[in-house]
Amino acid sequence: MKKLLIFTLMILFAVTSNVSATPLDKSIMSAIIGKTQTSQITDQIILVIDHNLTLWNKQSNGHWGLELESYCGYGLNGMSKNRHAGDKTTPIGSYPILYAFGLVDNPNSAMTYKKITPNSYLSGEESTYNMWIESARRMYDSEHLIDYYQYKYAMNIGFNINPTVYGRGAAIFLHCKSYDRWWTSGCVSVPEKIMLELLQKSHDGEYIIIVPNVEEIQNY
């Protein structure tokens, strides 16, 4: 009976989550997260299930506690397990948060933080693909970070690293939402006040799990 109840609640969430940031059953989600492979290598997880983003911390008793919840945006063309550059999808999977960054000074985040300069790029060039580069030379095939107000507060998601495959996609971030839309070219977006709160609640070693539904969590 208990397993049936859990399965039913999971299905209900999967069905409704594409409409709004449906409230999660904390105890059920805590148990699900605690059984993931990701939970064995970190004590802090950002979980994206369709348009619902949550932050979870591992407590001293081993349980996972919900710290924050928000509606979120993602790629215009949905989520994908086989993302490539330009397809406007958000990659499904479990990834480390490499570091935080932004247009302003570190807002009291415990994460490693990089302040964007006029020379900051996320490289699209083959020799330095998907790397943060400081360059006085204009890198036309790269993302000039200072040009984007959405990066006032942001985190770099460790997609397409170790190994890095040229053309698979670069510059997958968690960042502030655009003024006029929720969708992105592949990143995850949240309101600015939520992004700020995430930075202030996060520390190095954090991971993000991105999935279209609850059932997929167990794969990561």
Side-chain angles (χ1 to χ4, degrees):
M1 182 61 72
K2 185 177 180 181
K3 290 184 178 180
L4 178 60
L5 175 60
I6 292 175
F7 180 76
T8 301
L9 287 170
M10 289 169 64
I11 292 297
L12 284 173
F13 178 75
V15 170
T16 58
S17 62
N18 64 342
V19 177
S20 63
T22 306
L24 304 178
D25 183 292
K26 296 179 183 179
S27 60
I28 292 176
M29 291 307 303
S30 175
I32 293 173
I33 292 169
K35 293 180 180 179
T36 63
Q37 294 179 15
T38 303
S39 71
Q40 306 306 307
I41 56 176
T42 184
D43 63 356
Q44 194 167 53
I45 293 174
I46 297 172
L47 178 62
V48 175
I49 308 174
D50 194 45
H51 286 292
N52 188 286
L53 180 145
T54 49
L55 172 64
W56 299 81
N57 284 332
K58 191 173 186 178
Q59 301 169 338
S60 58
N61 62 5
H63 295 161
W64 286 82
L66 178 64
E67 293 290 328
L68 179 152
E69 183 171 11
S70 174
Y71 188 91
C72 67
Y74 52 81
L76 176 64
N77 293 326
M79 297 181 178
S80 173
K81 293 181 179 179
N82 298 294
R83 188 187 195 281
H84 58 82
D87 70 3
K88 289 184 168 57
T89 66
T90 296
I92 294 170
S94 174
Y95 308 102
I97 298 294
L98 302 181
Y99 49 81
F101 67 98
L103 295 168
V104 298
D105 292 336
N106 185 348
N108 297 316
S109 176
M111 297 194 85
T112 298
Y113 186 89
K114 298 184 179 185
K115 185 177 180 180
I116 294 170
T117 77
N119 294 330
S120 299
Y121 293 86
L122 206 296
S123 178
E125 297 183 353
E126 186 168 4
S127 62
T128 54
Y129 193 66
N130 205 21
M131 295 175 60
W132 181 294
I133 300 294
E134 292 291 326
S135 173
R137 171 182 64 87
R138 178 71 183 187
M139 299 176 65
Y140 290 101
D141 293 331
S142 304
E143 192 150 314
H144 192 207
L145 300 176
I146 204 167
D147 293 343
Y148 297 87
Y149 66 85
Q150 295 94 332
Y151 301 160
K152 180 177 180 180
Y153 305 114
M155 296 178 180
N156 191 350
I157 297 173
F159 167 74
N160 195 20
I161 59 171
N162 300 324
T164 300
V165 179
Y166 180 64
R168 188 181 179 205
I172 299 298
F173 303 142
L174 171 56
H175 62 64
C176 304
K177 74 173 291 292
S178 300
Y179 298 144
D180 59 346
R181 65 183 184 273
W182 279 100
W183 62 265
T184 71
S185 294
C187 298
V188 178
S189 67
V190 292
E192 181 181 312
K193 65 178 182 179
I194 297 296
M195 194 65 233
L196 174 59
E197 188 175 356
L198 272 171
L199 286 179
Q200 293 173 338
K201 290 179 178 291
S202 295
H203 56 254
D204 288 341
E206 185 176 50
Y207 270 69
I208 185 169
I209 299 175
I210 303 171
V211 290
N213 53 62
V214 174
E215 289 84 351
E216 287 274 340
I217 299 173
Q218 64 182 340
N219 297 326
Y220 304 103

